Amino acid sequence: MKVYKTQDIRNVAILGHGGCGKTTLVEAMAYAAGVTKRQGKVDDGNTLSDYDKEEIRRKFSISTTVIPIEWEYWKINLLDTPGYMDFVGEVEEALSVADAAIIVVSAKSGVEAGTIKAWNYCEKYSIPRTIFVTNMDDEHADYMGVVNQLRELYGKKIAPFHLPIREDGKFTGAVNVVKMEGRKFTDSGKWEARDIPDDVEPELETCREALLEAVAETSEELMDKYFGGEEFTIDEIIDALRINVNEGSIVPVQCGSGLLGYAIANLITTCVEFLPSPMRDHIKIFGKDPRTDKEYNVDYDSRRPFSAYVFKTIVDPFIGRYSLVKVCSGELKNDSVIYNYAKDTEEKLSKLFVMRGKELIEVPELKAGDIGAIAKLSNTATGDTLSLKSDPLVIDQAEISAPYTYKRYEAKNKGDEDKVSQALSKMMEEDLTLRVFNDAENHQSLLYGIGDQQLDVVVSKLLAKYKVEIVLSKPRIPYRETIRKKVSVREKYKKQSGGHGQYGDVAMEFEPSGDLEKPYVFEERVVGGAVPKNYFPAVEKGIAESVNRGPLAGYPVVGIKATLFDGSYHPVDSSEMAFKTAAKQAFKSAFLQASPILLEPIASLSVYVPDSYTGDIMGDLNKRRGRVLGMNPSDFGRTEIVADIPLAQLYGYSTDLRSMTGGRGDFAYSFSRYEQAPSDVQDKVIAENAKENEN
């Protein structure tokens, strides 16, 4: 593959709802560009993008894959992203380096939740986009239905560049609205000229007028020409549309079939003619000199010192470790010496690659704005910046969604714990939305992800790639135990077994401390030396060990004040161990007499949904014992519902929320405080704990 200049590169993310045809479209584009001699199919498991065994088995994308294609004088780096929102981290990584996007919509299914999310991401990152309506070969395809849905959502921004032509119910061609030409698709996936049929004239007139209005608004000269009734030239139209598309004020809509390869060449031409190179004027990329904290823009300028952003890491036992980078300034050559300021490491490259799916293509260099891969950077992670030691640079890391779905996990086979830990560590390097937490308090290991489907994929990958198995289960909720009233008890530990015996006698008072942030407060007010001072630490140690596991249901105890006020000792048999044991007995006895209660963790929850779903969400939150505190306007026309809710009620909420909102809802939460659990909840938890202990 030859070296391309920055202005001849296009970095295009392929976005859309899961199953809409993104990978099929990428395969068709690769085939049209001559990358492959035979177009692969998702069902056959032979596409360039979905090469991972899990992707082949499940028949959908799990990771973002880079597929570079060459078209005449240009190179297009296609970033094929997953459509299912459990893998949103992969989409966000792709968008951190994309300069434009193709939003794929199925002509049969229409605008779906993933379509709207894709649009919102483009708005968030100010990414110009075009929309490709695929599956036009389906008998139930409704192109104008999709266009009208898009217009209802996004108004005059939507500009159909194509209108489909159907003959005998079959999709056979399209009208190019920009050039006002009819085209008939041939078996090879290319096209030949044809007349514009009469039945598309009404829609064609409307679409053409919208395009001409958009062109007129780009300059006063064109506006005067438009109102003067003069015709625009094709060059004037294309130049004006290019400006609008680059600014995001116009979003072209085209139609075709990824499966049959129809209109794919037109789509590729749109990428190079209308979508921007990395050198787009209205977007700046900033870096900071860590030595001075001075910020400056690098703007994909090949004349500046080298810098590159690591947007993705691949750690695979079969193909090795690769850092995928986008060159932000300067040039990256295969013998470059690169510096990672965050890790303070400097390494010399031996080889530089471009990845096409799992294929590695060695290249001599990459210009600013291009995407490539570097092997074996062991100290470099996703989000790091590579630069020169003489000119260090740090670029802000991309924002990656936080995971809120979690499950307990255990190694299926004893002795595999270390293998599981090492494998998960490698998977977390690849997927920043995957996290592991060791909950020592509840004796469990927790696996966090975006959703249940992602966690299921993790289980499958661990077995397939790393030959270890884990079992997922419902996590143990971190309840707390405390007391509500004051009690006094006396406990004696006495044991005689020949020789020195054991003797410890304590009289203690237990009451609520009023501070649920601390497990206990220990005080003493012993008079007359009833208990020698040297045994006070042993008594406190007995309390400290007791609060780790409460008598009620086995959860940590908080908010206890323990006061030693009397007792007795034996000059020979008393010991620290005896007084510690007596204190433990006193704790247990007093706790069960002092109106013990269970405290449940309460989370502060924010749910983001379109207005039409707010009633359903609030009703569901009430069923989950949530307390709705208010609603606020949010981004992209959504509403934020703020509520307090027991943490236990959020288990499985990701799946339920998607079901209620058709995938249009998101949520986030954080721990807030502990509150007394209702009696029925307390009884249920105690019963479950007793049953668990029996087993």
Side-chain angles (χ1 to χ4, degrees):
M1 183 176 288
K2 73 175 190 178
V3 176
Y4 286 83
K5 295 179 181 178
T6 306
Q7 60 267 31
D8 298 329
I9 296 168
R10 305 289 185 270
N11 297 308
V12 183
I14 313 299
L15 309 174
H17 193 79
C20 69
K22 296 183 297 300
T23 297
T24 299
L25 177 63
V26 170
E27 193 71 17
M29 293 174 79
Y31 177 68
V35 171
T36 59
K37 294 182 179 179
R38 180 173 177 270
Q39 184 173 328
K41 296 181 179 179
V42 172
D43 287 340
D44 294 342
N46 59 356
T47 63
L48 294 171
S49 296
D50 292 353
Y51 61 84
D52 184 86
K53 286 183 179 179
E54 277 303 302
E55 293 176 315
I56 294 170
R57 183 172 75 85
R58 295 172 184 266
K59 301 189 188 310
F60 60 75
S61 299
I62 293 171
S63 300
T64 288
T65 309
V66 184
I67 306 294
I69 63 173
E70 296 171 288
W71 186 262
E72 296 179 0
Y73 312 106
W74 297 275
K75 177 187 180 185
I76 307 173
N77 291 312
L78 301 172
L79 296 139
D80 185 16
T81 69
Y84 294 104
M85 294 315 296
D86 278 27
F87 311 103
V88 65
E90 297 285 336
V91 179
E92 291 165 331
E93 287 176 350
L95 289 171
S96 71
V97 295
D99 301 300
I102 298 171
I103 299 177
V104 184
V105 183
S106 168
K108 180 181 178 181
S109 304
V111 174
E112 300 175 272
T115 314
I116 296 171
K117 284 185 179 291
W119 180 282
N120 291 344
Y121 275 124
C122 291
E123 291 287 298
K124 178 180 178 180
Y125 293 101
S126 299
I127 293 178
R129 73 223 69 151
T130 184
I131 294 172
F132 188 77
V133 182
T134 191
N135 300 335
M136 286 298 299
D137 51 296
D138 191 285
E139 61 180 336
H140 300 293
D142 184 4
Y143 176 75
M144 287 311 300
V146 172
V147 170
N148 290 332
Q149 282 182 297
L150 292 168
R151 279 176 171 164
E152 286 177 15
L153 287 168
Y154 309 118
K156 291 183 178 180
K157 280 188 176 185
I158 302 302
F161 277 21
H162 285 173
L163 282 176
I165 296 174
R166 287 188 174 275
E167 295 176 301
D168 299 325
K170 292 184 178 180
F171 176 58
T172 60
V175 178
N176 184 319
V177 180
V178 177
K179 297 181 177 180
M180 292 297 285
E181 296 174 351
R183 294 170 176 176
K184 182 177 181 179
F185 301 125
T186 61
D187 291 339
S188 63
K190 297 180 181 179
W191 57 270
E192 57 187 29
R194 61 151 294 166
D195 294 334
I196 299 174
D198 295 337
D199 59 356
V200 302
E201 287 292 346
E203 289 290 351
L204 179 58
E205 186 177 338
T206 303
C207 294
R208 179 71 175 176
E209 189 61 31
L211 275 178
L212 295 180
E213 284 181 16
V215 169
E217 290 177 2
T218 59
S219 72
E220 289 186 12
E221 181 185 348
L222 293 178
M223 182 69 77
D224 291 341
K225 195 172 183 179
Y226 176 71
F227 283 114
E230 296 182 57
E231 290 287 330
F232 296 138
T233 67
I234 292 296
D235 287 341
E236 286 175 330
I237 293 173
I238 290 176
D239 288 344
L241 288 175
R242 184 182 294 113
I243 293 170
N244 275 267
V245 172
N246 273 251
E247 292 177 349
S249 56
I250 285 289
V251 178
V253 183
Q254 297 175 253
C255 65
S257 168
L259 194 62
L260 299 181
Y262 288 176
I264 300 304
N266 292 14
L267 178 62
I268 297 174
T269 301
T270 297
C271 288
V272 297
E273 284 193 356
F274 292 97
L275 299 183
S277 75
M279 298 173 68
R280 49 189 173 146
D281 294 332
H282 64 292
I283 296 297
K284 303 292 183 183
I285 178 169
F286 290 95
K288 183 180 288 186
D289 185 336
R291 300 168 300 183
T292 62
D293 268 355
K294 181 181 178 181
E295 190 176 65
Y296 54 91
N297 59 65
V298 291
D299 292 350
Y300 303 107
D301 187 345
S302 290
R303 297 167 296 179
R304 295 190 66 92
F306 161 75
S307 67
Y309 177 74
V310 181
F311 71 94
K312 182 175 175 59
T313 302
I314 297 174
V315 184
D316 191 285
F318 304 118
I319 67 171
R321 179 190 177 92
Y322 293 92
S323 299
L324 272 62
V325 302
K326 183 181 185 183
V327 181
C328 300
S329 61
E331 299 174 349
L332 178 60
K333 298 185 179 182
N334 58 12
D335 59 351
S336 298
V337 178
I338 58 175
Y339 177 64
N340 184 334
Y341 178 83
K343 305 297 191 300
D344 193 23
T345 56
E346 194 174 30
E347 297 183 65
K348 183 176 181 180
L349 305 188
S350 58
K351 290 183 179 180
L352 182 62
F353 300 99
V354 165
M355 291 192 80
R356 181 180 283 145
K358 64 180 178 181
E359 180 189 3
L360 291 166
I361 305 168
E362 192 172 345
V363 292
E365 66 177 296
L366 295 171
K367 300 288 188 182
D370 210 347
I371 288 173
I374 306 171
K376 300 176 182 179
L377 294 180
S378 55
N379 292 318
T380 296
T382 300
D384 285 351
T385 304
L386 305 176
S387 58
L388 302 177
K389 195 164 188 177
S390 57
D391 288 280
L393 186 76
V394 175
I395 295 169
D396 287 342
Q397 294 188 8
E399 180 183 334
I400 303 295
S401 294
Y404 292 103
T405 298
Y406 66 101
K407 289 188 177 184
R408 182 179 187 171
Y409 77 91
E410 297 174 283
K412 187 173 182 180
N413 301 314
K414 287 186 177 181
D416 278 355
E417 287 79 9
D418 286 345
K419 291 181 181 178
V420 169
S421 178
Q422 291 171 13
L424 285 173
S425 178
K426 291 177 180 178
M427 292 182 72
M428 285 188 288
E429 289 186 66
E430 288 191 287
D431 187 350
L432 300 187
T433 65
L434 190 66
R435 295 177 192 171
V436 166
F437 175 69
N438 181 28
D439 182 9
E441 181 183 286
N442 289 291
H443 309 291
Q444 61 182 354
S445 295
L446 301 176
L447 183 63
Y448 281 78
I450 299 297
D452 291 336
Q453 191 173 55
Q454 180 191 17
L455 299 185
D456 182 54
V457 167
V458 169
V459 175
S460 298
K461 280 191 171 185
L462 284 172
L463 179 59
K465 290 188 175 182
Y466 299 98
K467 311 305 177 188
V468 290
E469 291 186 74
I470 62 171
V471 177
L472 300 181
S473 59
K474 188 175 181 179
R476 183 176 168 90
I477 301 299
Y479 293 104
R480 297 284 188 269
E481 299 179 21
T482 193
I483 57 175
R484 287 184 293 175
K485 71 178 185 180
K486 183 176 181 178
V487 296
S488 297
V489 295
R490 185 158 192 154
E491 288 289 336
K492 185 183 294 185
Y493 177 68
K494 185 177 181 181
K495 187 175 182 181
Q496 196 69 40
S497 58
H500 283 301
Q502 295 290 342
Y503 184 90
D505 177 23
V506 296
M508 300 188 71
E509 191 176 77
F510 291 87
E511 61 188 308
S513 69
D515 185 358
L516 297 179
E517 298 294 320
K518 293 181 180 179
Y520 73 93
V521 174
F522 176 73
E523 293 181 358
E524 57 79 24
R525 59 171 188 267
V526 177
V527 294
V531 177
K533 288 184 178 180
N534 59 306
Y535 291 132
F536 291 173
V539 174
E540 182 176 2
K541 190 173 183 181
I543 301 303
E545 291 182 6
S546 296
V547 297
N548 291 330
R549 185 176 174 84
L552 191 63
Y555 291 95
V557 174
V558 294
I560 299 287
K561 181 180 179 182
T563 305
L564 174 67
F565 65 88
D566 201 2
S568 64
Y569 74 101
H570 189 282
V572 176
D573 292 345
S574 286
S575 66
E576 290 185 358
M577 191 275 281
F579 273 96
K580 185 178 79 169
T581 304
K584 284 185 171 182
Q585 292 176 177
F587 175 87
K588 184 175 182 181
S589 176
F591 193 92
L592 295 175
Q593 297 176 48
S595 298
I597 57 170
L598 197 70
L599 300 173
E600 62 178 351
I602 303 298
S604 293
L605 174 70
S606 291
V607 186
Y608 305 91
V609 292
D611 289 345
S612 57
Y613 294 102
T614 55
D616 292 340
I617 297 304
M618 289 192 289
D620 178 71
L621 291 176
N622 288 331
K623 292 177 184 177
R624 296 173 185 267
R625 298 192 289 119
R627 293 191 294 273
V628 176
L629 304 177
M631 295 192 295
N632 305 307
S634 186
D635 54 359
F636 308 120
R638 300 188 300 176
T639 296
E640 177 194 17
I641 301 171
V642 181
D644 283 346
I645 188 170
L647 183 63
Q649 296 295 325
L650 288 177
Y651 182 73
Y653 190 62
S654 173
T655 301
D656 294 341
L657 179 63
R658 289 180 194 176
S659 177
M660 285 186 288
T661 63
R664 289 171 170 80
D666 295 308
F667 75 103
Y669 67 86
S670 60
F671 170 76
S672 175
R673 63 192 179 279
Y674 277 93
E675 288 184 0
Q676 181 178 342
S679 57
D680 59 325
V681 173
Q682 177 169 311
D683 293 342
K684 183 180 178 182
V685 172
I686 292 172
E688 288 176 351
N689 184 71
K691 186 176 181 181
E692 188 176 307
N693 289 336
E694 288 176 7
N695 296 333

